[in-house]
């Protein structure tokens, strides 16, 4: 909640009236109509990057909202046939009993730019699939500097004429100390929040992220490690929806989770990550 | 001038050319020596001017309607004529004139009384819908509002309008109007020429319009005359009483939640009068026992205050000054703490009527209107002020020209400067923290010129043809939109007419609201270079028939298509305006999306206006679908308040001079809600560098508004018992809301419980108001 809503909620009369209205509300369980008794669907979740060691896919079945369902649910599907293909090469993933996911070592299937990949699964007499390709990768940072407010600012060039979505992670280690066990320990300073940056209204321009002012810390760092993630629009949309956390806000619009799984639910997305280690500016 | 401007100019020129051609081929007065009858139609006892009264000439099968200020003018060839003066809720008068010179004929109508003999009332002594060119139009008699049963006894014009076909209520108890598929923000609410922006008190359970102070209420659902514009779905025009010019009258009302009072009378008899009317709730007293802190320190109330003075300068000049002020206030006070939440409208209008001749009447209005929402919170070392508002300064000049019995021409120009403050936040703290003073403020200018002619083209063909040119400036962005309007009526014998209309409308200011229950946090915003004006095209076709005994029946079908309709994006909320994509500075524009709306339906309205038993039956079949690229994956979906069937039955029975019984029964197909159909595991947010939590589950909403609630129906009853007193009369009113205690759905939600290693998912229906009795005591003198 922001400032204004806190203030609204602090007014007791508002709460009293709201409580009286809620108190006046009479609730009763009703029989859900047939339209809400939708069929179960296969759920395929697969997110990895060319830098990942493995291609990992989780397969599960959706569950009904209404009626009686055993708990804890055991909806992971372990007997599916899962394949990944680039149009010419097709590989089958195998189920890992420990992690409860389907796995293919990255060495057996390379991920390249401008190739469309298809992930397909067959289970319970149903076949579903999804397709995706690699997003733009940031290979170079334009600048890493301290601005006038003594905040760390990292800039890079956006690729024009397409929607791009980024995340920047940056950390510096400081306070080096040796433990009694002989190990070397550091404190870790993380510069940015876990937010997405889009090129909306800034297509093709120089994009940047800026940290909070570093008054207390700036002299403690020797270097900064930076990771720039690029994701596709579906990835951005998918986690934006999950981040909205609308259950706490009774006045928010309902949300629908996007999916690119044809015949099922879920997400198949490949992201790019570029890692840089820079001398502290 | 751009290509598009040239094209628009051509359209305008063509329209004006067609208009002039029609004027030329129509038989105009002046081809023969003509004389003019002009004057005012007034209420007999108070001298109140009656706007919208009909003056019908049976021998010519035509007539005119008094303008906004009760003025009329008829120009005819010399001869003997019979004129019939009628007005809803009043007894009609038949007058014979021998026209051989210009004459002034003021008429005084009396309110209908219970002794009115229905047999006498047959014939032309009441208004006939078949004779009016205007379709999709309703006029509410003030008496009707007084008699229809009201929620908690609070008489509410908007809730009576909800009982009309084509007009729907939103959720339980709400005074919001959904007219032909449009939202509450698409209604133009005009009180004495001033636009009111927020029609709600207390979450929309009550409207801001105090029925005691109103003289007339008109609703246009389609076929909009060119003099109205700025909203897509309806025009609700309300005029305050002018005040009794002859004697002092008053009214006091005490109900379950509020008390009201009205005083009116002459300042200078026959020349100048005043009226003042107010209402205040005492909910703050009622909720005092619920306060945990010391009594009287926390509370809520709302009040309305209407005032008007009118002065007749001379026979040709009149001056009106009127104002409205209303406020809702939640407050909380402590020894070192103070907080309040206030919102309300204020409006005032100064109008000058000038009769240029017996055929031409002008009005000049200066208008102020403001809606303000403000939060204040503070203690010894902290103070917060949050404000959002819209403020208008406007001017309007209207001319009514009556060149002949076949033409009533209205033309005018208006301009309004809007000042928007979507949000202004001031935070001051005593510590060293820097104070926040963050205000977003901008101005826009909305202007229009219009011309319309209500004409008789041939003997049986009546038309109202007009055009409105609307113009809007926001910073360096300018919108210019021509809005053609056409209404046609063909009069068959035996009081039957077939009507058709087309209206193009544009709306330059929008309401951001997703609560649907009329919260004060709903935000008015402007069209910008990114947010285009909403626009609509509506066609309607209908039949009207007047039967004996003041009974009329209308059947209308309509199709309305709107574009650039605004809607919050998935998951957006007024709580999230600053938080959706925190890496980019967001404004409200980033939180909305625009799309299409399509509504169509059939409305049937059977009304009995006179006699000791009157009322109406309304039935609507309708469908409203929306389509937004960014909502519901771009697929069409039914609007939340899409209602396939809507029925209203209203009966008012005057059993005797002292007892009036009334009842309403409403039925509506259930509203649409969005509910999940399955739940599933989600992926982990791995592309971040952070150790992110896995999102374990998500309830899958397959489609927007996928669940139709059970039907809504409700019976309200009321009895009014009146007794004459020495200096007036008193009335006790007893009402029963939801008489058979129907548990109507207010909202639905899902929940689950785990027992013995099984989870049971449930659908829960929540209902709001059970059977609610109420009373009201009224004393009039």
């Amino acid at each position: 909640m922001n400032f204004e809503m806190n203030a609204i909620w602090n007014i007791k009369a508002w709460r009293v009236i709201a409580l009286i209205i809620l108190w006046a509300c009479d609730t009763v369980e009703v029989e859900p109509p047939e339209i809400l008794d939708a069929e179960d669907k296969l759920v395929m979740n697969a997110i990895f990057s060319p830098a990942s060691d493995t291609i990992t896919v989780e397969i599960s079945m959706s569950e009904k909202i209404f009626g009686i369902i055993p708990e804890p649910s055991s909806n992971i599907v372990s007997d599916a046939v899962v394949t990944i293909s680039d149009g010419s090469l097709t590989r089958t993933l195998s189920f890992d009993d420990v992690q409860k996911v389907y796995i293919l070592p990255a060495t057996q299937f390379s991920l390249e730019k401008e190739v469309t990949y298809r992930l397909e699964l067959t289970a319970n007499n149903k076949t579903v699939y999804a397709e995706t390709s690699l997003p733009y990768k940031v290979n170079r940072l334009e600048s890493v500097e301290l601005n006038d407010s003594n905040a760390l600012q990292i800039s890079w060039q956006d690729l024009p004429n397409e929607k791009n979505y980024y995340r920047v992670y940056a950390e510096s280690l400081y306070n080096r100390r040796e433990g009694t066990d002989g190990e070397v320990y550091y404190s870790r300073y993380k510069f940015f929040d876990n937010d997405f940056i889009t090129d909306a209204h800034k297509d093709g321009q120089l994009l940047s992220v800026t940290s909070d002012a570093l008054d207390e810390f700036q002299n403690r760092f020797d270097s900064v490690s930076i990771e720039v993630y690029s994701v596709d629009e579906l990835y951005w949309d998918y986690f934006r929806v999950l981040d909205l956390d609308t259950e706490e806000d009774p006045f928010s619009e309902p949300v629908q989770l996007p999916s690119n799984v044809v015949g099922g639910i879920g997400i198949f997305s490949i992201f790019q990550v570029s890692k840089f280690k820079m001398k502290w500016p | 001038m751009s290509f598009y401007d040239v094209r628009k100019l051509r359209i305008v020129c063509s329209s004006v050319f067609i208009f002039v051609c029609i004027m030329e081929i129509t038989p105009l007065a002046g081809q023969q020596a003509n004389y003019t009858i002009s004057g005012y139609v007034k209420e007999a006892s108070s001298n109140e001017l009656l706007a919208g009264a009909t003056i019908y000439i049976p021998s010519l099968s035509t007539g005119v309607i008094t303008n906004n200020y009760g003025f009329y003018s008829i120009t005819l060839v010399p001869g003997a004529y019979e004129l019939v003066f009628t007005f809803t809720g009043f007894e009609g008068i038949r007058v014979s004139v021998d026209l051989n010179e210009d004459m002034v004929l003021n008429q005084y109508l009396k309110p209908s009384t219970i002794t009115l003999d229905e047999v006498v009332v047959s014939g032309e002594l009441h208004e006939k819908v078949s004779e009016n060119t205007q379709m999709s139009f309703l006029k509410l008699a003030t008496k009707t509002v007084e008699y229809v049963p009201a929620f908690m006894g609070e008489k509410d014009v908007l809730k009576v309008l909800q009982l009309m076909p084509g007009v729907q209520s939103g959720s339980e108890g709400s005074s919001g109007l959904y007219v032909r598929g449009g939202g509450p923000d698409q209604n133009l609410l005009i009180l004495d020429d001033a636009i009111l922006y927020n029609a709600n008190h207390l979450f929309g359970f009550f409207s801001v319009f105090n029925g005691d102070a109103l003289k007339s209420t008109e609703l246009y659902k389609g076929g909009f005359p060119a003099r109205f514009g700025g909203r897509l779905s309806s025009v609700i025009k309300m005029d305050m009483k002018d005040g009794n010019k002859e004697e002092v009258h008053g009214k006091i009302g005490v109900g379950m939640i509020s008390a009201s009072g009205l005083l009116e009378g002459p300042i200078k008899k026959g020349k100048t009068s005043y009226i003042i009317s107010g209402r205040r709730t005492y909910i703050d007293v009622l909720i005092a026992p619920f306060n945990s802190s010391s009594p009287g320190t926390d509370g809520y109330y709302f009040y309305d205050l209407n005032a008007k003075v009118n002065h007749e300068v001379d026979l040709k000049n009149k001056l009106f000054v009127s104002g409205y002020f209303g406020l809702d206030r939640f407050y909380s006070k402590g020894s070192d703490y103070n907080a309040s939440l206030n919102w309300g409208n204020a409006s005032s209008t100064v109008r000058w009527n000038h009769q240029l001749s017996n055929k031409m009447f002008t009005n000049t209005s200066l208008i102020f209107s403001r809606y303000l929402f403000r939060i204040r919170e503070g203690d010894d070392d902290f103070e917060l002020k949050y404000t959002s508002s819209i403020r208008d300064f406007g001017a309007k000049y209207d001319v009514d020209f009556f060149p002949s019995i076949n033409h009533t021409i209205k033309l005018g120009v208006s301009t309004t400067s809007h000042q928007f403050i979507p949000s202004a936040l001031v935070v001051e703290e005593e510590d060293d923290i820097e104070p926040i003073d963050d205000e977003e403020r901008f101005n826009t200018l909305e202007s229009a010129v219009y011309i319309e002619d209500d004409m008789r083209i041939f003997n049986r063909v009546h038309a109202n043809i007009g055009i409105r040119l609307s113009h809007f400036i926001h910073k360096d962005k300018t919108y210019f939109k021509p809005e053609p309007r056409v209404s046609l009526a063909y009069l068959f014998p035996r009081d039957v007419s077939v009507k058709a209309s087309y209206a193009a409308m544009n709306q330059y200011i929008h309401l951001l609201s997703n609560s649907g229950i009329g919260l004060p946090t709903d935000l008015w915003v402007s069209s910008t270079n990114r947010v285009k004006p909403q626009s609509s095209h509506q066609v309607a076709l209908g039949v009207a028939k007047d039967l004996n005994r003041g009974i009329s029946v209308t059947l209308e079908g309509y199709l309305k298509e709107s574009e650039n309709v605004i809607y919050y994006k998935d998951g957006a909320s007024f709580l999230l305006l600053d938080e959706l994509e925190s890496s980019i500075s967001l404004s409200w524009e980033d939180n909305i999306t625009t799309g299409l709306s399509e509504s169509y339906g059939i409305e049937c309205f059977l009304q009995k206006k006179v006699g000791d038993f009157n009322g109406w039956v309304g039935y609507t079949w309708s469908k409203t679908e929306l389509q937004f690229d960014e909502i519901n994956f771009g697929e069409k979906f039914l609007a939340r308040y899409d209602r396939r069937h809507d029925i209203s039955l209203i009966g008012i029975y005057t059993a005797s001079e002292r007892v009036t019984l009334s009842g309403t029964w409403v039925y509506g197909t259930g509203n649409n809600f969005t509910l999940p159909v399955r739940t599933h595991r989600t992926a982990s947010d791995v592309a971040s560098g952070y150790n992110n939590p896995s999102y374990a589950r998500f309830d899958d909403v397959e489609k927007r508004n996928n669940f139709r609630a059970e039907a809504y129906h409700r019976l309200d009853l009321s009895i009014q018992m009146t007794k004459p007193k020495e200096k007036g009369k008193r009335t006790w009113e007893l009402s029963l809301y939801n008489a058979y205690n129907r548990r109507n759905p207010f909202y639905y939600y899902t929940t689950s419980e785990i027992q013995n290693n099984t989870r049971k998912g449930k659908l829960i229906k929540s209902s709001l108001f059970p059977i609610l009795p109420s009373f009201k005591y009224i004393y009039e003198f």
Side-chain angles (χ1 to χ4, degrees):
Chain A
M1 283 195 190
N2 53 22
F3 260 131
E4 303 90 73
M5 293 314 298
N6 276 325
I8 291 173
W9 199 242
N10 282 339
I11 295 168
K12 289 178 190 166
W14 174 272
R15 275 185 282 172
V16 171
I17 296 275
L19 286 174
I20 288 173
I21 289 169
L22 288 174
W23 171 71
C25 276
D26 176 40
T27 57
V28 60
E29 183 182 349
V30 292
E31 192 63 30
E34 269 183 28
I35 196 160
L36 298 180
D37 187 22
E39 60 163 343
D40 292 340
K41 286 191 171 179
L42 282 166
V43 184
M44 179 165 77
N45 291 322
I47 298 173
F48 46 83
S49 86
S52 307
D53 295 335
T54 56
I55 291 170
T56 307
V57 181
E58 184 193 80
I59 310 294
S60 58
M61 284 299 288
S62 70
E63 293 176 346
K64 294 189 185 310
I65 293 281
F66 305 108
I68 292 172
I69 297 149
E71 279 287 327
S73 66
S74 52
N75 55 356
I76 293 289
V77 177
S78 58
D79 58 354
V81 176
V82 185
T83 59
I84 187 166
S85 166
D86 62 5
S88 56
L89 178 68
T90 302
R91 294 277 189 222
T92 302
L93 286 74
S94 55
F95 187 69
D96 181 322
D97 245 341
V98 178
Q99 297 183 64
K100 306 291 183 195
V101 291
Y102 292 81
I103 285 177
L104 180 70
T107 51
Q108 294 184 25
F109 195 87
S110 61
L111 300 168
E112 305 290 341
K113 277 198 287 187
E114 295 173 359
V115 176
T116 299
Y117 295 97
R118 181 184 173 102
L119 194 60
E120 187 172 301
L121 81 90
T122 303
N124 302 341
N125 296 322
K126 288 178 189 164
T127 297
V128 303
Y129 70 91
E131 292 182 340
T132 193
S133 53
L134 272 65
Y136 161 66
K137 184 178 182 183
V138 177
N139 287 317
R140 191 170 87 86
L141 295 176
E142 293 298 322
S143 67
V144 177
E145 59 192 15
L146 287 174
N147 67 11
D148 295 343
S149 306
N150 226 357
L152 180 67
Q153 186 168 323
I154 299 171
S155 306
W156 68 97
Q157 183 65 45
D158 177 54
L159 184 69
N161 304 319
E162 63 177 52
K163 288 180 180 175
N164 295 299
Y165 305 87
Y166 307 95
R167 258 178 174 165
V168 177
Y169 176 83
E171 66 170 27
S172 285
L173 303 179
Y174 67 102
N175 195 17
R176 183 184 188 281
R177 58 201 184 276
E178 286 184 12
T180 51
D181 54 1
E183 289 287 317
V184 175
Y185 292 93
Y186 291 94
S187 296
R188 198 176 290 267
Y189 187 90
K190 295 174 183 175
F191 291 91
F192 308 111
D193 291 331
N194 192 17
D195 297 322
F196 287 103
I197 298 111
T198 82
D199 61 353
H201 319 310
K202 292 180 180 175
D203 183 45
Q205 298 177 25
L206 208 60
L207 301 181
S208 63
V209 284
T210 307
S211 72
D212 291 336
L214 298 167
D215 298 338
E216 299 174 39
F217 289 95
Q218 60 158 324
N219 296 323
R220 302 187 185 184
F221 310 133
D222 297 322
S223 63
V224 54
S225 300
I226 300 165
E227 295 173 6
V228 180
Y229 292 84
S230 314
V231 299
D232 59 17
E233 187 173 9
L234 174 68
Y235 188 103
W236 179 81
D237 244 0
Y238 186 93
F239 288 101
R240 186 184 69 90
V241 167
L242 292 179
D243 277 345
L244 288 173
D245 193 20
T246 56
E247 285 183 9
E248 287 182 6
D249 176 2
F251 304 116
S252 65
E253 293 295 318
V255 291
Q256 290 172 285
L257 197 60
S259 167
N260 62 343
V261 179
V262 179
I265 308 171
I267 178 171
F268 173 33
S269 175
I270 303 175
F271 64 92
Q272 297 269 29
V273 57
S274 306
K275 298 186 179 182
F276 308 91
K277 184 152 187 175
M278 315 288 283
K279 194 171 179 304
W280 184 250
Chain B
M1 192 179 273
S2 72
F3 168 75
Y4 289 104
D5 287 339
V6 171
R7 208 173 67 170
K8 283 173 188 167
L9 195 63
R10 278 184 188 158
I11 292 168
V12 174
C13 292
S14 308
S15 305
V16 172
F17 177 74
I18 292 166
F19 184 80
V20 170
C21 287
I22 291 169
M23 290 286 292
E24 285 301 314
I25 62 168
T26 313
L28 270 173
Q31 295 159 350
Q32 198 177 342
N34 294 311
Y35 295 113
T36 300
I37 310 167
S38 64
Y40 292 87
V41 179
K42 303 179 181 183
E43 184 180 347
S45 58
S46 65
N47 267 344
E48 283 271 354
L49 298 164
L50 297 179
T54 302
I55 301 97
Y56 188 67
I57 305 162
S59 59
L60 301 177
S61 297
T62 190
V64 296
I65 292 171
T66 57
N67 73 1
N68 241 356
Y69 304 93
F71 177 77
Y72 76 96
S73 171
I74 303 170
T75 300
L76 299 165
V77 292
Y81 296 97
E82 187 175 62
L83 274 59
V84 180
F85 292 78
T86 55
F87 186 69
T88 302
F90 285 69
E91 291 178 30
I93 292 180
R94 199 188 301 263
V95 178
S96 295
V97 295
D98 192 6
L99 186 64
N100 49 28
E101 60 180 342
D102 286 348
M103 60 190 291
V104 175
L105 185 64
N106 295 327
Q107 278 305 320
Y108 299 85
L109 303 185
K110 291 179 187 168
S112 300
T113 61
I114 55 164
T115 53
L116 199 65
D117 185 344
E118 289 194 36
V119 179
V120 176
V121 173
S122 63
E124 289 108 1
L125 283 180
H126 54 85
E127 282 182 300
K128 291 184 175 178
V129 291
S130 61
E131 289 162 0
N132 195 343
T133 315
Q134 182 68 47
M135 66 184 304
S136 310
F137 171 71
L138 296 160
K139 189 157 63 176
L140 261 189
T142 310
K143 280 281 177 202
T144 306
V145 180
E146 285 179 18
Y147 288 135
V148 170
F151 177 61
M152 304 295 278
E154 294 298 309
K155 300 300 178 189
D156 197 321
V157 173
L158 296 191
K159 288 194 176 171
V160 177
L161 290 177
Q162 286 175 349
L163 301 171
M164 299 296 182
V167 185
Q168 293 163 2
S169 60
S171 51
E172 168 86 84
S174 164
S175 58
L177 298 184
Y178 293 78
V179 182
R180 292 187 170 174
D185 61 313
Q186 294 177 352
N187 303 319
L188 183 68
L189 291 161
I190 314 172
L191 180 66
D192 276 1
D193 274 350
I195 293 172
L196 290 188
Y197 287 95
N198 188 316
N200 301 309
H201 283 307
L202 187 61
F203 309 120
F205 291 133
F206 305 99
S207 86
V208 300
F209 302 107
N210 178 359
D212 287 345
L214 294 181
K215 177 166 68 174
S216 66
T217 305
E218 295 175 351
L219 167 70
Y220 297 79
K221 301 178 286 183
F224 303 102
R227 60 186 179 277
F228 298 119
R231 298 290 186 279
L232 298 192
S233 290
S234 79
V235 176
I236 299 160
K237 181 176 168 298
M238 284 162 285
D239 286 300
M240 280 169 59
K241 288 175 182 167
D242 296 331
N244 197 312
K245 281 191 176 144
E246 300 303 315
E247 53 192 8
V248 175
H249 280 282
K251 186 176 180 181
I252 296 165
V254 179
M256 293 265 288
I257 62 162
S258 80
S260 61
L262 179 146
L263 191 67
E264 61 177 328
I267 296 173
K268 187 176 179 186
K269 207 167 180 178
K271 280 273 189 187
T272 312
S273 66
Y274 69 90
I275 181 169
I276 182 161
S277 165
R279 168 175 66 158
R280 189 195 187 280
T281 61
Y282 25 76
I283 301 173
D284 41 350
V285 179
L286 297 177
I287 66 167
F290 295 90
N291 274 332
S292 54
S293 55
S294 55
T297 54
D298 300 323
Y300 165 79
Y301 61 83
F302 72 74
Y303 68 83
D304 297 304
L305 188 67
N306 295 74
K308 188 169 183 177
V309 175
N310 88 85
H311 174 60
E312 194 171 317
V313 180
D314 55 36
L315 287 174
K316 294 189 172 179
N317 291 284
K318 293 186 178 67
L319 203 60
F320 302 83
V321 181
S322 59
Y324 166 81
F325 189 77
L327 185 80
D328 283 60
R329 179 175 163 84
F330 283 94
Y331 60 90
S332 178
K333 290 177 194 165
S335 57
D336 59 349
Y337 176 79
N338 205 340
S340 65
L341 182 68
N342 307 306
W343 71 96
N345 295 283
S347 75
S348 65
T349 314
V350 179
R351 288 179 292 180
W352 170 44
N353 286 179
H354 178 59
Q355 192 185 319
L356 282 171
S357 71
N358 58 5
K359 291 182 183 178
M360 193 173 281
F361 184 97
T362 66
N363 179 68
T364 309
S365 301
L366 300 175
I367 302 157
F368 165 80
S369 181
R370 188 196 67 186
Y371 170 67
L372 179 77
F373 169 57
R374 176 170 285 162
I375 300 167
R376 281 172 187 266
E377 187 187 21
D379 54 27
D380 289 345
D381 50 17
F382 168 79
E383 188 175 7
L384 175 146
K385 274 190 286 186
Y386 172 81
T387 306
S388 76
S389 72
I390 175 170
R391 189 214 64 199
D392 291 355
F393 284 113
K396 204 163 158 273
Y397 182 70
D398 302 290
V399 179
D400 295 346
F401 178 43
F402 306 84
S404 76
I405 186 66
N406 293 323
H407 293 272
T408 300
I409 297 167
K410 292 175 188 285
L411 54 103
V413 57
S414 66
T415 185
T416 304
S417 164
H418 303 286
Q419 183 189 75
F420 296 86
I421 304 180
S423 85
L425 180 67
V426 178
V427 181
E428 289 173 359
E429 293 190 67
E430 280 217 339
D431 298 335
D432 292 337
I433 299 167
E434 196 161 322
I436 300 171
D437 191 349
D438 189 9
E439 180 180 288
E440 193 183 348
R441 180 193 293 249
F442 59 91
N443 293 293
T444 63
L445 189 69
E446 183 175 0
S447 307
V449 293
Y450 71 86
I451 182 166
E452 63 176 76
D453 186 0
D454 194 0
M455 65 181 92
R456 187 171 72 156
I457 301 175
F458 304 106
N459 197 30
R460 292 192 169 275
V461 180
H462 291 203
N464 186 320
I465 297 174
I467 187 161
R468 183 181 182 87
L469 308 175
S470 62
H471 188 261
F472 190 81
I473 304 173
H474 170 261
K475 294 181 181 168
D476 54 352
K477 182 67 185 175
T478 299
Y479 293 102
F480 172 71
K481 305 252 179 194
E483 301 172 10
R485 317 279 175 84
V486 180
S487 291
L488 298 168
Y490 185 87
L491 276 60
F492 289 93
R494 298 188 178 185
D495 294 330
V496 176
S497 62
V498 174
K499 302 180 184 184
S501 67
Y502 166 79
M505 304 290 278
N506 290 288
Q507 179 165 340
Y508 296 100
I509 60 173
H510 325 286
L511 184 69
L512 290 182
S513 168
N514 60 0
S515 63
I517 56 172
L519 282 181
T521 44
D522 294 350
L523 188 67
W524 283 98
V525 292
S526 156
S527 292
T528 64
N529 53 353
R530 285 171 61 192
V531 179
K532 290 181 182 163
Q534 301 180 59
S535 56
S536 73
H537 301 271
Q538 185 183 160
V539 289
L541 184 66
V543 184
K545 162 78 178 162
D546 286 287
L547 303 161
N548 289 331
R549 296 175 180 269
I551 297 171
S552 62
V553 58
T554 59
L555 182 69
E556 288 190 13
Y558 67 90
L559 169 66
K560 182 166 71 177
E561 291 181 335
S562 308
E563 58 184 18
N564 298 321
V565 173
I566 69 165
Y567 213 84
Y568 267 125
K569 285 180 181 171
D570 267 7
S573 163
F574 64 89
L575 300 184
L576 292 168
L577 275 175
D578 305 324
E579 300 174 89
L580 194 61
E581 283 176 285
S582 49
S583 295
I584 294 177
S585 174
L586 275 188
S587 71
W588 58 269
E589 291 167 285
D590 296 286
N591 227 351
I592 62 158
T593 184
T594 58
L596 307 171
S597 163
E598 184 182 67
S599 306
Y600 48 91
I602 296 170
E603 299 162 4
C604 184
F605 187 44
L606 175 71
Q607 186 177 25
K608 184 173 186 294
K609 293 178 193 166
V610 296
D612 50 16
F613 180 78
N614 58 70
W616 66 89
V617 179
Y619 170 74
T620 309
W621 182 96
S622 63
K623 191 169 185 180
T624 304
E625 290 183 302
L626 306 169
Q627 192 274 323
F628 299 85
D629 290 345
E630 295 182 75
I631 298 175
N632 202 39
F633 308 121
E635 291 176 16
K636 267 188 182 180
F637 60 97
L638 294 171
R640 180 170 184 179
Y641 298 112
D642 162 65
R643 201 161 293 168
R644 204 64 70 244
H645 304 281
D646 192 274
I647 302 169
S648 302
L649 306 176
I650 287 82
I652 299 167
Y653 177 59
T654 308
S656 70
E657 281 186 27
R658 293 188 172 190
V659 178
T660 303
L661 303 166
S662 62
T664 62
W665 184 75
V666 292
Y667 172 92
T669 308
N671 292 334
N672 291 306
F673 291 86
T674 304
L675 288 176
V677 294
R678 60 176 72 85
T679 181
H680 63 86
R681 295 170 68 89
T682 59
S684 293
D685 183 14
V686 291
S688 69
Y690 284 79
N691 293 324
N692 288 287
S694 295
Y695 294 95
R697 277 182 190 283
F698 186 83
D699 289 348
D700 184 26
V701 173
E702 203 164 48
K703 284 182 183 171
R704 269 291 178 106
N705 294 337
N706 57 344
F707 169 64
R708 177 78 73 175
E710 62 188 77
Y712 181 100
H713 51 92
R714 195 189 78 232
L715 175 72
D716 301 339
L717 299 170
S718 170
I719 179 168
Q720 289 190 5
M721 293 164 290
T722 304
K723 191 174 179 183
K725 292 284 182 182
E726 197 178 329
K727 290 184 178 175
K729 64 176 182 181
R730 70 105 179 99
T731 303
W732 276 104
E733 181 182 348
L734 305 175
S735 303
L736 214 48
Y737 180 86
N738 196 6
Y740 54 82
N741 198 28
R742 159 82 175 168
R743 309 307 283 151
N744 283 304
F746 183 56
Y747 67 94
Y748 289 82
Y749 63 93
T750 60
T751 185
S752 66
E753 60 181 31
I754 296 176
Q755 283 182 341
N756 302 328
N757 292 332
T758 56
R759 175 165 58 88
K760 186 179 182 228
K762 296 179 186 175
L763 179 63
I764 307 292
K765 177 184 83 171
S766 182
S767 307
L768 199 52
F769 296 124
I771 181 169
L772 282 177
S774 64
F775 72 88
K776 189 159 192 177
Y777 174 83
I778 302 159
Y779 185 80
E780 289 175 81
F781 58 93

